[in-house]
Amino acid sequence: MPDLGLEVLFKGKNFIRLLGGLATALEISLISVAISIVFGLVVGILMSFKNPIVRALTRCYLEVIRIMPQLVLLFIVFFGSTKALGINISGTVSAVIVFSLWGSAEMGDLVRGALESVAKHQYESAGALGLNRIDTYRYVVIPQAVRRLIPQSINLITRMIKTTSLVLMIGVVEVLKVAQQIIEANRMSSPNAAFGVYLIVFVLYFIACRPLSIFSEKLEAKWR
Amino acid sequence: MSEAILEIEHLIKKYDELTVINDLSLSVKKGEVIVIVGSSGCGKSTLLRCLNGLEDIQGGSIKLNGEPVLKASKNISEIRRKIGMVFQSYELFPHMNVLDNILLAPVKVLNRKKEEVKDEAMTLLKRVGLDNKALAYPRQLSGGQKQRIAIVRALIMHPEVLLFDEVTAALDPEMVREVLEVILDLADEGKTMLIVTHEMQFAKAVADRIILLEEGKIWEEGTPEEFFNNPKTERSKEFLRSFTYKRKETVNEYADL
């Protein structure tokens, strides 16, 4: 068995610190996810409007966010806010802002797609049965849209959790940053610690994301 | 046959500049079965969609028992309850099983008791031979089965008029019969129906009156006997000819070889 330098995790509070880093990562992603779901619904409904101005604006928003690497967005918000606006916001808050902007755009596009994927004839056949507009949405359109939405949005949530690994670049001490610190601090005593610690980081991300994937697979099988 | 149940007067339907229904008047009596035929694009489906308030109209009026059928009117969903419509693509709700598909409208729209409607639904399902599929989901059914369920779903609302929009057009030939037999059965029962179809043998059997629609107008109308045996207009002769096939009589150059 090669030396993975795993012993560094048992030094002092290292393992607890690593878990603390994961908590920070999850905190940023889950707050952003909550915000994204709310705003994503609004953006998605706006995107399905026929009004050309509303469409153009939401389209621009989505494209800009999609084209821009998340890291660039993080730099713009974190450094730009200080430079341009003269306000000082913490790395964590910047991260939540960026992830919410990104999540709302992507979630919006998913909501739009789900609403559009319900065929026009479904509205008509509900109407032909005498269902009014509200009942048509309540019993026919939304249940179908949600079924299409959930697997895709869980995929998005997993991506958001993983992408929090970037926020160490704006000074937020999340799980990857803690891992680096532990490795650096033990460079002399355990030169191989990089292997072991990053392996543990991998396991932690896996534990955080895998239940979501399982949940999504279960739902997909149930609603197939 | 007694009073008119559905009264269409000078109906005009346009999509932008294109006139699809052009000053069409038609009166449907209670218990009457009208089959609408015509080449594709003649406005048959559009006419049915207008009758159910799925399309806004540009002129004229449609009245069901004297009440206007208008897409924009406030009580359109109340009027639609009295008009059943079955579509070419079935349009069952994929997230509900067969029974829930049938029960949705009577329970949520008419506020009828679930248990009571369920009994009726099972009786109707039995009648179309699908009582063993009550708990199946639409994706588990064949096209013909789905279409029979869609008919039951419309029937359970006790509509005063039933509209069938090319209900067998998407079906494999061997499934067409099982659906059309259900409709024939309804005709025997005295249901008022407007049927758009390309199945001429079926039209002949089921119709009290056949209407040939061309250019958004009633080009010719009559009993099935009149229409099929003695078509009056050149258009209807041409239309009927399009259903018969004949090989061109060519001289076989190779016959002697």
Side-chain angles (χ1 to χ4, degrees):
Chain A
M1 172 108 183
D3 176 22
L4 294 176
L6 282 172
E7 69 281 354
V8 296
L9 290 172
F10 304 105
K11 281 189 192 163
K13 289 181 179 166
N14 276 356
F15 192 64
I16 302 293
R17 281 180 59 216
L18 208 54
L19 287 182
L22 183 70
T24 307
L26 288 179
E27 187 190 341
I28 291 172
S29 44
L30 295 183
I31 293 174
S32 312
V33 163
I35 296 172
S36 300
I37 288 173
V38 175
F39 284 94
L41 280 173
V42 177
V43 172
I45 292 168
L46 287 176
M47 278 175 158
S48 61
F49 277 16
K50 290 199 178 70
N51 185 317
I53 298 166
V54 176
R55 278 182 96 111
L57 284 176
T58 49
R59 194 78 217 162
C60 273
Y61 166 51
L62 176 67
E63 289 302 323
V64 167
I65 298 284
R66 266 199 185 153
I67 289 164
M68 201 88 87
Q70 275 84 33
L71 190 57
V72 176
L73 281 173
L74 284 169
F75 284 161
I76 290 175
V77 172
F78 184 65
F79 298 113
S81 60
T82 318
K83 274 276 177 200
L85 305 173
I87 49 168
N88 187 14
I89 47 178
S90 74
T92 311
V93 173
S94 305
V96 168
I97 292 173
V98 168
F99 278 75
S100 302
L101 278 172
W102 172 41
S104 303
E106 295 280 3
M107 186 64 91
D109 199 39
L110 295 180
V111 169
R112 178 198 57 78
L115 284 176
E116 281 176 8
S117 73
V118 178
K120 185 178 144 227
H121 266 108
Q122 288 278 310
Y123 294 81
E124 291 184 345
S125 71
L129 287 167
L131 269 73
N132 60 29
R133 233 180 128 77
I134 294 169
D135 282 348
T136 300
Y137 272 91
R138 184 166 160 205
Y139 298 113
V140 177
V141 178
I142 291 175
Q144 290 185 55
V146 166
R147 278 165 168 75
R148 280 165 213 188
L149 192 58
I150 283 190
Q152 291 166 309
S153 32
I154 286 177
N155 183 311
L156 175 63
I157 293 170
T158 328
R159 272 162 58 212
M160 286 171 78
I161 294 175
K162 286 188 296 188
T163 313
T164 53
S165 56
L166 291 179
V167 301
L168 69 91
M169 303 296 288
I170 54 169
V172 179
V173 185
E174 46 67 77
V175 62
L176 207 57
K177 187 71 197 173
V178 177
Q180 283 183 349
Q181 289 170 346
I182 294 172
I183 294 162
E184 290 293 315
N186 295 283
R187 224 165 69 196
M188 295 305 169
S189 56
S190 310
N192 284 337
F195 294 116
V197 174
Y198 283 134
L199 183 72
I200 295 300
V201 169
F202 162 76
V203 173
L204 288 178
Y205 272 117
F206 185 82
I207 292 171
C209 294
R210 182 64 191 150
L212 286 169
S213 302
I214 293 173
F215 178 59
S216 152
E217 280 162 21
K218 283 243 163 80
L219 281 183
E220 259 182 292
K222 192 178 158 206
W223 287 341
R224 182 180 48 89
Chain B
M1 285 185 202
S2 48
E3 76 285 12
I5 189 165
L6 190 66
E7 200 79 58
I8 305 162
E9 278 170 349
H10 305 292
L11 179 65
I12 292 173
K13 165 73 197 168
K14 289 181 189 171
Y15 290 113
D16 296 322
E17 288 307 297
L18 182 73
T19 305
V20 185
I21 303 287
N22 191 359
D23 194 19
L24 183 146
S25 298
L26 175 69
S27 165
V28 184
K29 296 192 203 95
K30 195 167 163 43
E32 197 175 17
V33 178
I34 296 183
V35 171
I36 303 160
V37 299
S39 50
S40 64
C42 71
K44 305 175 302 250
S45 291
T46 309
L47 174 61
L48 286 198
R49 293 170 57 80
C50 289
L51 297 184
N52 201 14
L54 289 173
E55 300 282 344
D56 42 10
I57 56 177
Q58 279 67 47
S61 69
I62 302 165
K63 282 182 179 147
L64 179 75
N65 287 326
E67 270 187 290
V69 180
L70 257 184
K71 187 186 179 188
S73 76
K74 270 212 174 102
N75 64 341
I76 184 67
S77 10
E78 277 162 49
I79 292 171
R80 280 182 181 155
R81 290 170 205 169
K82 300 174 194 161
I83 308 172
M85 184 152 181
V86 184
F87 298 86
Q88 179 181 334
S89 48
Y90 341 116
E91 296 308 329
L92 297 180
F93 306 130
H95 59 296
M96 295 179 184
N97 67 27
V98 165
L99 200 55
D100 288 337
N101 260 281
I102 300 170
L103 297 186
L104 177 68
V107 172
K108 301 296 177 198
V109 177
L110 302 178
N111 293 316
R112 288 173 61 190
K113 280 213 186 67
K114 196 169 176 177
E115 286 313 307
E116 165 209 320
V117 198
K118 202 173 155 184
D119 289 342
E120 193 188 341
M122 290 312 293
T123 313
L124 285 170
L125 280 174
K126 200 164 199 157
R127 194 171 142 188
V128 300
L130 291 173
D131 46 328
N132 59 340
K133 298 285 185 197
L135 298 178
Y137 279 83
R139 61 171 184 273
Q140 300 163 321
L141 303 175
S142 73
Q145 291 172 331
K146 279 189 252 194
Q147 197 58 291
R148 283 182 279 160
I149 302 291
I151 294 174
V152 169
R153 189 175 67 173
L155 279 179
I156 202 149
M157 294 297 280
H158 304 295
E160 298 184 27
V161 180
L162 273 164
L163 310 174
F164 292 91
D165 187 10
E166 299 195 31
V167 291
T168 58
L171 296 179
D172 289 335
E174 67 269 25
M175 288 173 188
V176 169
R177 172 169 281 270
E178 64 190 44
V179 172
L180 295 185
E181 273 174 353
V182 171
I183 303 176
L184 276 169
D185 199 32
L186 295 173
D188 290 339
E189 207 182 73
K191 290 262 188 303
T192 314
M193 300 193 277
L194 277 93
I195 302 168
V196 167
T197 186
H198 289 291
E199 303 285 337
M200 289 304 131
Q201 294 302 322
F202 168 67
K204 209 185 261 184
V206 79
D208 294 316
R209 191 156 36 130
I210 296 215
I211 286 172
L212 176 75
L213 209 64
E214 280 300 324
E215 296 168 16
K217 286 182 188 150
I218 296 180
W219 204 268
E220 181 168 340
E221 65 172 295
T223 64
E225 293 75 33
E226 288 166 359
F227 182 77
F228 285 105
N229 301 334
N230 296 304
K232 284 173 273 191
T233 58
E234 199 47 47
R235 211 43 176 282
S236 50
K237 283 176 198 161
E238 197 182 309
F239 175 75
L240 287 170
R241 264 203 299 278
S242 71
F243 289 91
T244 55
Y245 295 92
K246 216 175 172 183
R247 284 184 69 168
K248 282 197 197 105
E249 292 194 20
T250 49
V251 180
N252 191 343
E253 294 171 27
Y254 305 103
D256 296 334
L257 294 176

